[in-house]
Amino acid sequence: RRKVGVLVSGRGSNLQALLDACADPAYPAEIVLVISNIPEVYALERARTAGVPTQVIPHKGFASREAFDSEMDKALRAAGVEIVCLAGFMRLLSAGFVESWRGKMINIHPSLLPSFKGLHTHQRAIDAGVKLHGCTVHLVTPDLDDGPILVQSAVPVLAADTEGSLAARVLEQEHKAYPLALRLLAEGRVTLDGARALIRDA
Ligand code: GAR
């Protein structure tokens, strides 16, 4: 099983989806470390409950983004991590860190990329009047919410939707898309073709 480190900043519902997937011994990955940049978030509780080691690395204690990232990098390497999953991790990463995990770091974003990069994706989708919205799991590149797409899942935007109702519909899909994308990467089924990820059948 490939060793996975998960970076979190909050609630951790996507972390939970990954923990649940990894609870199956037939799943090709196991989570060996969860790092939060914010102390006392619920994601840490979820990791502890699953018996997974946690580390809090508060970004505020570092003079630069690079210094913070290099501390995370040390912790991940010390734990033998092979794949990094960003799961609601709300910090920009330095180019050096991203480069050193190229092809081995994935992120989940709550929109159908390349639409609605950045924050407040659900309200922006409603305001734009799109009829389909969703989530994307992609390999991380130095550009924010960019990089080869592994999995997308779409949901309808309904006339009565609020930001909250739409977020909930997307989140349900996130919890399926993320374990699927990690499986693809962990099974070595992803190859890069320029900006695209090609996925081999199992
Ligand atoms: C998720 O909806 C995730 O897609 C989003 O934050 C939420 C975290 O929830 N990520 C981003 O917006 C990244 N730019 P969770 O902590 O319950 O997984």
Side-chain angles (χ1 to χ4, degrees):
R1 309 226 282 169
R2 308 295 300 280
K3 289 186 162 63
V4 173
V6 185
L7 309 188
V8 299
S9 301
R11 165 180 69 177
S13 71
N14 278 292
L15 167 65
Q16 189 66 58
L18 296 175
L19 288 167
D20 292 348
C22 292
D24 177 356
Y27 191 74
E30 59 175 326
I31 299 174
V32 297
L33 180 62
V34 171
I35 298 177
S36 174
N37 65 313
I38 316 257
E40 286 165 38
V41 291
Y42 191 54
L44 291 165
E45 191 64 35
R46 295 180 190 269
R48 285 187 211 110
T49 301
V52 171
T54 62
Q55 202 164 328
V56 175
I57 304 180
H59 61 271
K60 285 182 179 160
F62 293 86
S64 67
R65 197 177 290 287
E66 286 73 18
F68 168 68
D69 288 359
S70 107
E71 195 67 21
M72 285 201 302
D73 192 70
K74 263 194 265 171
L76 292 165
R77 310 263 177 211
V81 165
E82 301 163 280
I83 295 173
V84 177
C85 292
L86 310 180
F89 182 70
M90 303 309 270
R91 295 283 304 166
L92 288 174
L93 294 165
S94 58
F97 182 86
V98 171
E99 191 53 50
S100 75
W101 290 97
R102 185 192 270 285
K104 297 174 188 155
M105 179 157 61
I106 55 181
N107 177 49
I108 187 152
H109 181 75
S111 77
L112 293 174
L113 291 173
S115 292
F116 309 120
K117 297 178 180 183
L119 299 176
H120 311 298
T121 56
H122 307 303
Q123 188 60 53
R124 286 161 60 210
I126 291 172
D127 293 346
V130 298
K131 303 302 177 199
L132 286 173
H133 184 45
C135 63
T136 303
V137 185
H138 62 96
L139 285 160
V140 177
T141 60
D143 296 320
L144 177 72
D145 299 328
D146 204 65
I149 292 169
L150 301 184
V151 175
Q152 288 188 305
S153 183
V155 302
V157 181
L158 305 179
D161 267 329
T162 60
E163 183 178 21
S165 65
L166 183 55
R169 192 174 308 119
V170 171
L171 193 63
E172 203 177 307
Q173 295 307 309
E174 292 186 41
H175 297 161
K176 296 178 186 162
Y178 214 168
L180 172 58
L182 176 57
R183 169 189 287 281
L184 297 174
L185 193 61
E187 288 179 344
R189 289 162 57 189
V190 178
T191 53
L192 293 181
D193 172 29
R196 295 190 305 165
L198 305 180
I199 315 281
R200 268 190 310 281
D201 291 338

